[in-house]
Amino acid sequence: MAALYACTKCHQRFPFEALSQGQQLCKECRIAHPMVKCTYCRTEFQQESKTNTICKKCAQNVKLYGTPKPCQYCNIIAAFIGNKCQRCTNSEKKYGPPYSCEQCKQQCAFDRKDDRKKVDGKLLCWLCTLSYKRVLQKTREQRKHLSSSSRAGHHEKEQYSRLSSGSHFNSFSPDLALDSPGTDHFVIIAQLKEEVATLKKMLHQKDQMILEKEKKITELKADLQYQESQMRAKMNQMEKTHKEVTEQLQAKNRELLKQAAALSKGKKPEKSGAMTSP
């Protein structure tokens, strides 16, 4: 009887082939708790529920620091403190300022000064490195599927020997040496899908930033209109008060002029009487 192994989630026992690599999950647990990307830091994590879209680390950071901002280097919305995400901050401290990624052309690739850690000799950022590794993984799975029969295995050896002797081998790593023209198409399609997915995510992030800026502009415009209306009301009130005070002063001035005229008329008869008396 074949040995059975426990699923790390439901703890039921299954044959080793029925469990996933790495996580050791059964088929039902893989469906119920798929591996998804965090909305913020873009790392993969096991989803506990369909509403759970961010990893535990980012959820804790949201409670501590609030909603993150886009990183000034990689543009991933994971800058909880300052303008850089923790990944770029640590890489900058360790490897120095970032360089342009050879895939996405963003200034977010860090040179580790070790050609062995480069991806096929290319200097890639973190997101592009993950995409490249996923393409390699899918290629290996396709190769494994194609080599299930002896004929496919023999064809794989011939194809690999032709690729290793040609110039195409120099531009790709041995892991990317493909089995057949169909596999060539598969890798190209997978790469294009990864690029499209990355561009869609970047576009979504840009749209979110534009929406936030438009919201801020609308709030500023509303605040400016309110301040202008308050200023106009205040100026109208001051103008009205000034007009009333001016009218009161003018009326008082006219009254004083009348009194002065009456006093001057009363003094003239007294002077004439004083001049006629012996």
Side-chain angles (χ1 to χ4, degrees):
M1 183 177 179
L4 299 178
Y5 299 86
C7 170
T8 55
K9 197 70 179 176
C10 65
H11 304 295
Q12 296 184 21
R13 294 188 171 275
F14 300 89
F16 183 77
E17 294 77 13
L19 300 177
S20 63
Q21 296 181 358
Q23 295 289 333
Q24 298 294 307
L25 297 175
C26 64
K27 184 177 180 180
E28 293 181 359
C29 290
R30 289 198 299 272
I31 296 173
H33 306 283
M35 295 294 291
V36 296
K37 289 185 179 180
C38 175
T39 305
Y40 292 143
C41 66
R42 310 308 301 161
T43 55
E44 291 186 347
F45 72 100
Q46 193 173 357
Q47 192 177 34
E48 297 294 336
S49 63
K50 292 184 178 181
T51 58
N52 184 19
T53 59
I54 60 176
C55 64
K56 293 181 179 179
K57 187 176 181 180
C58 286
Q60 185 178 3
N61 287 333
V62 168
K63 292 180 181 179
L64 294 175
Y65 308 109
T67 305
K69 298 178 293 184
C71 175
Q72 71 178 35
Y73 289 154
C74 63
N75 207 32
I76 297 176
I77 306 177
F80 290 95
I81 304 174
N83 298 323
K84 305 171 191 174
C85 66
Q86 193 62 41
R87 187 181 297 110
C88 288
T89 300
N90 294 337
S91 297
E92 187 177 22
K93 289 180 180 178
K94 191 173 182 180
Y95 306 113
Y99 295 87
S100 177
C101 174
E102 296 183 25
Q103 181 69 24
C104 65
K105 308 305 180 184
Q106 290 193 96
Q107 201 78 9
C108 56
F110 294 91
D111 190 0
R112 300 185 179 184
K113 311 298 181 183
D114 188 354
D115 293 338
R116 293 176 299 176
K117 294 184 179 180
K118 291 183 179 180
V119 183
D120 199 19
K122 297 180 180 180
L123 183 61
L124 302 181
C125 66
W126 179 74
L127 277 180
C128 292
T129 301
L130 290 183
S131 300
Y132 196 92
K133 288 181 178 179
R134 279 194 292 270
V135 171
L136 290 180
Q137 182 64 27
K138 290 178 182 178
T139 305
R140 293 191 186 101
E141 292 176 358
Q142 186 72 5
R143 286 173 57 186
K144 184 178 180 181
H145 177 72
L146 291 175
S147 61
S148 58
S149 63
S150 58
R151 183 178 180 181
H154 180 68
H155 180 71
E156 177 186 3
K157 291 179 181 179
E158 292 180 352
Q159 184 72 12
Y160 185 82
S161 62
R162 286 199 298 270
L163 289 172
S164 61
S165 61
S167 59
H168 181 74
F169 180 79
N170 296 326
S171 60
F172 292 94
S173 64
D175 288 333
L176 281 179
L178 307 178
D179 312 288
S180 64
T183 315
D184 283 335
H185 296 158
F186 170 79
V187 173
I188 293 171
I189 291 171
Q191 288 177 337
L192 291 175
K193 284 183 178 180
E194 291 291 339
E195 291 180 4
V196 169
T198 302
L199 291 174
K200 283 183 178 180
K201 290 167 188 173
M202 291 174 61
L203 181 62
H204 178 70
Q205 292 174 358
K206 294 288 185 183
D207 289 340
Q208 291 295 325
M209 292 173 62
I210 291 172
L211 289 175
E212 290 178 2
K213 289 181 179 179
E214 288 180 349
K215 182 180 177 181
K216 187 68 175 178
I217 290 171
T218 304
E219 293 175 354
L220 291 173
K221 284 183 177 179
D223 187 40
L224 182 61
Q225 290 178 355
Y226 174 76
Q227 291 181 3
E228 288 180 351
S229 63
Q230 291 291 105
M231 185 64 68
R232 282 195 296 268
K234 188 175 181 180
M235 291 177 65
N236 292 334
Q237 183 64 32
M238 291 174 64
E239 186 178 356
K240 183 179 178 182
T241 304
H242 178 71
K243 187 177 180 181
E244 291 177 354
V245 171
T246 303
E247 290 177 353
Q248 291 177 1
L249 292 174
Q250 288 177 350
K252 190 173 182 180
N253 191 27
R254 287 194 295 269
E255 184 67 25
L256 291 174
L257 288 174
K258 289 179 182 179
Q259 293 179 6
L263 290 174
S264 61
K265 287 180 181 179
K267 289 180 179 180
K268 284 181 181 179
E270 292 178 359
K271 289 181 180 181
S272 61
M275 290 175 63
T276 54
S277 61

